[in-house]
Amino acid sequence: MRSYLHHLSTPARNIAEVGGKAHNLMRLLALGCPVPPGFVLTTDAYRAFAASNGVPAELESEIEAAYSALGGGAVAVRSSATAEDLDNASSAGEQQTILNVRGCPALLDAIRSVWASLWTERAVVYRSRAGHNVADIAMGVIVQQMVDAQTAGVIFTAEPVSGNRECLVVEACRGLGDALVSGELTPDHYELDRATLKTRRQWLGDKFEPRDCLTGSQLKTLAKMALRIEAHFGCPQDIEWAVDRGGIHILQSRPITTLQNPAESPQWVSPVPGAIWVRRGGGGLTEYLPAPPSPLYATSQFQTINDLHDLHGEEMGIAASNPSYALINGHVYVRQDYKFGPRGFLLPVRYWQAARRGVRMWRTWLPDHLRKLDQLSSARISQLSNAGLMDHIAALMELNSVAWDMTVRASRTWVFTEPLFRHIYRWIKPIVGADPVVFLRGFESRTMEAEHALGELVRGALIDPEINRCLLLSGASQTLDRLSHTPGGRFWLEEFQSYCRKYGHLVENHDYLYAAPADDPAKVFASIRFRMNLIQSDPLERQKRLAAERAQATLNAWEKLASYPLRKAIFRWILGWAQEGASVREDVYFHALRGWPAARRAILALGARLMNAGAIVRDEDVFFLNWTELKQAAIDGKTHGWKTIVRERRSEHARRCQLSPPHSVPLEGPPLTVSRRIKNLLKRLAVGKVSRTSSPGELHGAPASPGRVTGPARLLHSSSEFGRLQKGDIIVTRNATPEWTPTFTIAAGLITDSGGPLSHTSILAREFGIPAVMGVQTATRSIAEGQLVTIDGGEGSIRLHQESVHEG
């Protein structure tokens, strides 16, 4: 009988048979390293599973026997793809790892989940950019005994940021190291001299007890192991390790593929002397440009939006020094050094006036905008000359820039009125009693429509086994091809394409480098797969329930305020105004992004022409030319030299995407009294109270969505980790963008380091009825994966329990 399983202690197999991670572990064991015992399911096992749409009986028997031989206790289940842990691409974090799995049924479920993670959106995009052939990709799965870790972490045999080869870097934390590896925890940090193994410098991370995670003896032993492993593999290594009562265990070793030259280490310096810049969420441009924009976007639409935004300060009486936005090491920052102009004392009045007219202006503007967009979208771009196509792209960018500017203006209606409503409601609440948020949610919106439509696609996929199988085990192009050959598949594809036409323009990144869901089926498939194994409620049913609660609360308020005519009149006035903004805010964002796919398609059409002319290698290279260069290539006919420029800029863009931009530039700005007063004023308007100082066992932030809930913390770094989320988890992340909306049907609560109650995401959290606390600043460093937490979204408080809840 053919075996689908090999023990890690057997001689190293080839990568095609067991995957990169398992291959490395086998080599480490042969070297004599202390690797926890385990076994690996071969890539043939994956193929047998894919072919049979399930785990073959003989494979289940092998797994059960091998699991029993390991002792039948807790195990870790980890991916080992054939394109993983290679010298030129580590694929770190691209597939799933599941810890603390207990029992054969849970083990089989975990193995299936790890196999499915081969086709997450993030993994597919990563492999595409790395140049891997999808047809050659398969996955082994490693099952190892869990280490009862007292301490865990990573050791780098070269400094991964500066590229210094004379230094070893160790990062360590208490307990399991999964939160550290995902970047969601500040660890103890040690830097060791390579020659002497002496500690050059160190600092402690986030933990309650002020003592080191590692002793000097443990550090030296770990360093010696790491240097031996590096010598064996022949290149700098990123090594995961854990310490239990028995000593140090090596969990994984892979090449460091992102080393930089020390001379290239970035400096975070203001491009304008004396200016202060910050990165902040809150519905602004920094929320929708989370990564460095491409050269084409940075020199075209970004500049237009910047110019339009520069006009806002003068309208408000603030002499906001221009430009409003800047790119620092490629990352978007918004300017904060405000100054009062002669009309500055009228700021509250002028903002009031702008808020009053915001949505009404938007409603007047929208029909003409949609008409112009339809005209531009229906143009036959294949019949345009290169000059005509450039003009067409410029017109779309101008239209989209104005659309975003109108969105910012309309947003003032709820940015101002919702906090004002909350302040006035304090005077009303002793009589009425209801939470203020109940009056501002439950409105019909395109966002709820989109979630409902996606839910219908999920239900259709769950009913049809062939659709289910294709979505879980095939890439996007294969899925589209296979489903087109079955009646049920064709019907489902029609619904899928209808969804993409109606809602596929909702991008999470303004940069045209990134495809909208309408042009990238893999993104929609990833959202569908995420929901397929989860019980979820219908967003439209939830909206109707919240609308009924709003109506009942309003009726109760009128009855209770009958004896208070002044308060009733004021409440009626501010409620009507606040609800006007709340009723349209999702539709404002929905229509703001309508023109993005049309602009990207036009740009790619021009890119295809340049590719055919030999100027660039592929159509997407067009995004790495700036606007002036694009004119030279398209209109002036200059075709030489662009390939080298594109190659260098792609490399620079990838390097900048790896940076962790600081919250502010300069890191410690000068004391600007006016700026800080305005900042505090806006903070009080937005939050209603200033966050309290956190003490051990508790954290505080901005109350963003009311409600009180207790659950395990799930630290998520990006949307690619949505598959780790389970019903009842409390999401803890640095910053949740509107892309995170699908998680709100599953999560019990939300905690973020940045953002506030006026960000688009917090508004969505209130619509979905989950408690949220935002702007905690240290949440991802203070809360451990699986730790039990209680959040109060109305008070902005978080209680940290000592217990943890682990998977399995």
Side-chain angles (χ1 to χ4, degrees), residues 339-498:
K339 298 179 179 66
F340 276 122
R343 299 172 296 168
F345 293 103
L346 297 176
L347 172 62
V349 175
R350 291 187 176 277
Y351 202 98
W352 172 283
Q353 292 172 338
R356 286 290 292 157
R357 64 177 177 263
V359 168
R360 292 163 191 170
M361 284 178 60
W362 175 83
R363 283 178 171 146
T364 302
W365 160 86
L366 183 61
D368 187 54
H369 168 71
L370 295 180
R371 180 183 56 80
K372 291 178 181 177
L373 183 58
D374 285 342
Q375 290 176 346
L376 288 171
S377 299
S378 60
R380 296 183 179 181
I381 57 179
S382 62
Q383 299 179 2
L384 297 175
S385 65
N386 281 5
L389 186 50
M390 283 291 296
D391 290 341
H392 180 72
I393 293 169
L396 281 167
M397 286 185 171
E398 177 71 22
L399 201 67
N400 289 342
S401 298
V402 172
W404 183 252
D405 190 66
M406 289 300 298
T407 298
V408 172
R409 292 175 181 277
S411 71
R412 293 196 185 109
T413 299
W414 56 87
V415 166
F416 187 82
T417 57
E418 184 172 326
L420 182 62
F421 173 79
R422 289 173 179 270
H423 279 282
I424 292 177
Y425 191 75
R426 293 178 181 177
W427 187 46
I428 306 295
K429 188 172 182 179
I431 302 169
V432 174
D435 192 287
V437 77
V438 74
F439 297 98
L440 302 178
R441 65 186 184 190
F443 297 98
E444 296 180 1
S445 72
R446 296 298 184 94
T447 299
M448 292 298 151
E449 282 183 18
E451 287 296 307
H452 173 74
L454 198 61
E456 290 298 305
L457 288 173
V458 171
R459 280 184 277 276
L462 291 173
I463 292 172
D464 190 311
E466 178 63 18
I467 299 174
N468 194 321
R469 177 174 173 272
C470 285
L471 285 170
L472 291 178
L473 298 175
S474 301
S477 59
Q478 292 174 311
T479 298
L480 292 171
D481 179 63
R482 291 180 180 179
L483 293 184
S484 66
H485 291 89
T486 66
R490 284 194 293 270
F491 176 79
W492 189 88
L493 281 179
E494 289 178 4
E495 297 299 310
F496 173 83
Q497 290 160 356
S498 175

Side-chain angles (χ1 to χ4, degrees), residues 228-419:
R228 187 180 175 206
I229 292 169
E230 181 193 69
H232 179 71
F233 284 101
C235 64
Q237 295 288 298
D238 167 1
I239 303 165
E240 295 180 23
W241 53 267
V243 178
D244 66 5
R245 295 178 184 274
I248 296 174
H249 301 270
I250 301 300
L251 306 180
Q252 179 177 327
S253 186
R254 57 177 170 243
I256 305 174
T257 58
T258 58
L259 285 180
Q260 300 175 12
N261 188 308
E264 298 174 351
S265 182
Q267 300 296 313
W268 299 93
V269 179
S270 170
V272 179
I276 290 183
W277 308 87
V278 299
R279 283 180 62 81
R280 68 180 183 198
L285 199 56
T286 53
E287 185 175 359
Y288 282 86
L289 284 170
S294 65
L296 182 60
Y297 184 90
T299 56
S300 54
Q301 185 162 310
F302 177 75
Q303 296 297 333
T304 305
I305 291 176
N306 204 342
D307 292 342
L308 290 171
H309 196 274
D310 285 347
L311 303 175
H312 292 202
E314 287 298 324
E315 294 173 6
M316 299 293 173
I318 301 174
S321 301
N322 300 332
S324 301
Y325 294 98
L327 297 177
I328 305 177
N329 290 319
H331 290 264
V332 179
Y333 282 80
V334 61
R335 195 159 182 174
Q336 287 286 282
D337 47 316
Y338 308 109
K339 298 179 179 66
F340 276 122
R343 299 172 296 168
F345 293 103
L346 297 176
L347 172 62
V349 175
R350 291 187 176 277
Y351 202 98
W352 172 283
Q353 292 172 338
R356 286 290 292 157
R357 64 177 177 263
V359 168
R360 292 163 191 170
M361 284 178 60
W362 175 83
R363 283 178 171 146
T364 302
W365 160 86
L366 183 61
D368 187 54
H369 168 71
L370 295 180
R371 180 183 56 80
K372 291 178 181 177
L373 183 58
D374 285 342
Q375 290 176 346
L376 288 171
S377 299
S378 60
R380 296 183 179 181
I381 57 179
S382 62
Q383 299 179 2
L384 297 175
S385 65
N386 281 5
L389 186 50
M390 283 291 296
D391 290 341
H392 180 72
I393 293 169
L396 281 167
M397 286 185 171
E398 177 71 22
L399 201 67
N400 289 342
S401 298
V402 172
W404 183 252
D405 190 66
M406 289 300 298
T407 298
V408 172
R409 292 175 181 277
S411 71
R412 293 196 185 109
T413 299
W414 56 87
V415 166
F416 187 82
T417 57
E418 184 172 326

Side-chain angles (χ1 to χ4, degrees), residues 110-229:
I111 290 170
R112 293 188 194 99
S113 295
V114 172
W115 273 332
S117 72
L118 187 62
W119 298 105
T120 63
E121 176 189 351
R122 177 178 176 179
V124 170
V125 170
Y126 183 95
R127 292 196 298 270
S128 174
R129 290 180 176 175
H132 298 304
N133 187 345
V134 173
D136 298 332
I137 301 299
M139 180 186 282
V141 177
I142 302 165
V143 179
Q144 282 180 288
Q145 280 186 355
M146 276 292 300
V147 176
D148 185 16
Q150 299 170 342
T151 303
V154 294
I155 178 170
F156 301 93
T157 60
E159 213 291 328
V161 176
S162 70
N164 182 3
R165 266 61 165 188
E166 302 305 315
C167 179
L168 280 72
V169 176
V170 181
E171 295 188 332
C173 66
R174 298 291 180 196
L176 299 174
D178 51 334
L180 182 153
V181 173
S182 66
E184 302 299 339
L185 186 72
T186 300
D188 284 5
H189 182 95
Y190 309 86
E191 296 179 8
L192 310 180
D193 183 89
R194 186 184 186 90
T196 65
L197 301 187
K198 292 182 178 179
T199 303
R200 290 178 172 179
R201 59 176 180 163
Q202 69 182 73
W203 57 82
L204 301 183
D206 300 315
K207 54 182 182 293
F208 293 122
E209 66 275 21
R211 58 188 179 88
D212 290 3
C213 286
L214 292 170
T215 65
S217 175
Q218 288 173 326
L219 273 173
K220 186 167 291 189
T221 300
L222 184 60
K224 289 179 179 178
M225 283 187 188
L227 291 176
R228 187 180 175 206
I229 292 169

Side-chain angles (χ1 to χ4, degrees), residues 517-808:
D519 297 322
D520 187 359
K523 291 186 175 182
V524 187
F525 288 156
S527 294
I528 292 171
R529 282 194 295 267
F530 170 60
R531 292 165 168 82
M532 284 177 67
N533 294 323
L534 298 165
I535 300 173
Q536 53 187 322
S537 59
D538 187 328
L540 291 185
E541 291 300 319
R542 185 188 312 107
Q543 178 264 320
K544 291 177 182 177
R545 174 176 56 81
L546 294 177
E549 291 176 0
R550 184 184 74 243
Q552 185 60 51
T554 304
L555 181 62
N556 292 342
W558 300 144
E559 292 178 353
K560 293 180 179 180
L561 290 171
S563 302
Y564 304 88
L566 177 59
R567 298 192 192 195
K568 184 176 181 179
I570 294 174
F571 179 66
R572 185 187 299 276
W573 166 76
I574 190 59
L575 179 64
W577 188 18
Q579 287 185 341
E580 179 185 26
S583 66
V584 299
R585 59 193 171 200
E586 288 308 298
D587 289 345
V588 168
Y589 282 104
F590 179 88
H591 290 296
L593 304 171
R594 288 280 291 268
W596 257 253
R600 186 176 194 271
R601 291 166 193 163
I603 295 168
L604 286 176
L606 186 55
R609 294 184 186 184
L610 296 180
M611 179 182 67
N612 293 333
I616 55 180
V617 176
R618 47 185 173 174
D619 57 357
E620 285 195 351
D621 287 348
V622 70
F623 296 112
F624 292 89
L625 301 177
N626 66 39
W627 184 254
T628 300
E629 292 166 346
L630 186 58
K631 286 183 177 179
Q632 292 174 350
I635 300 176
D636 300 340
K638 180 183 176 183
T639 59
H640 299 292
W642 301 126
K643 292 178 182 178
T644 300
I645 290 173
V646 166
R647 184 170 59 252
E648 292 173 350
R649 286 183 182 164
R650 278 188 176 276
S651 177
E652 176 68 6
H653 185 264
R655 185 187 70 80
R656 286 177 164 176
C657 286
Q658 297 295 322
L659 299 176
S660 296
H663 173 72
S664 62
V665 173
L667 300 181
E668 294 181 2
L672 298 175
T673 306
V674 174
S675 173
R676 292 187 175 180
R677 283 180 179 173
I678 293 177
K679 183 178 179 181
N680 288 335
L681 171 63
L682 294 176
K683 185 176 182 181
R684 288 182 177 275
L685 278 175
V687 179
K689 63 181 78 174
V690 178
S691 300
R692 292 166 285 173
T693 302
S694 300
S695 57
E698 64 178 22
L699 298 170
H700 296 281
S705 181
R708 184 179 175 87
V709 67
T710 298
R714 186 69 60 194
L715 274 69
L716 301 180
H717 183 66
S718 69
S719 60
S720 65
E721 297 180 335
F722 286 173
R724 296 177 49 226
L725 191 65
Q726 298 180 14
K727 192 74 173 179
D729 286 349
I730 293 175
I731 297 172
V732 182
T733 186
R734 291 192 185 98
N735 179 41
T737 67
E739 181 187 13
W740 293 59
T741 304
T743 65
F744 298 164
T745 64
I746 297 137
L750 173 68
I751 302 171
T752 67
D753 283 346
S754 62
L758 298 180
S759 69
H760 192 192
T761 306
S762 65
I763 291 170
L764 288 171
R766 293 195 287 276
E767 283 292 333
F768 278 80
I770 67 167
V773 179
M774 306 187 78
V776 182
Q777 297 184 347
T778 62
T780 56
R781 302 197 302 271
S782 303
I783 302 174
E785 175 74 9
Q787 184 174 13
L788 206 63
V789 298
T790 297
I791 70 172
D792 189 322
E795 291 295 323
S797 64
I798 304 164
R799 179 188 170 200
L800 310 181
H801 301 266
Q802 294 301 312
E803 311 98 285
S804 292
V805 178
H806 298 294
E807 292 178 87

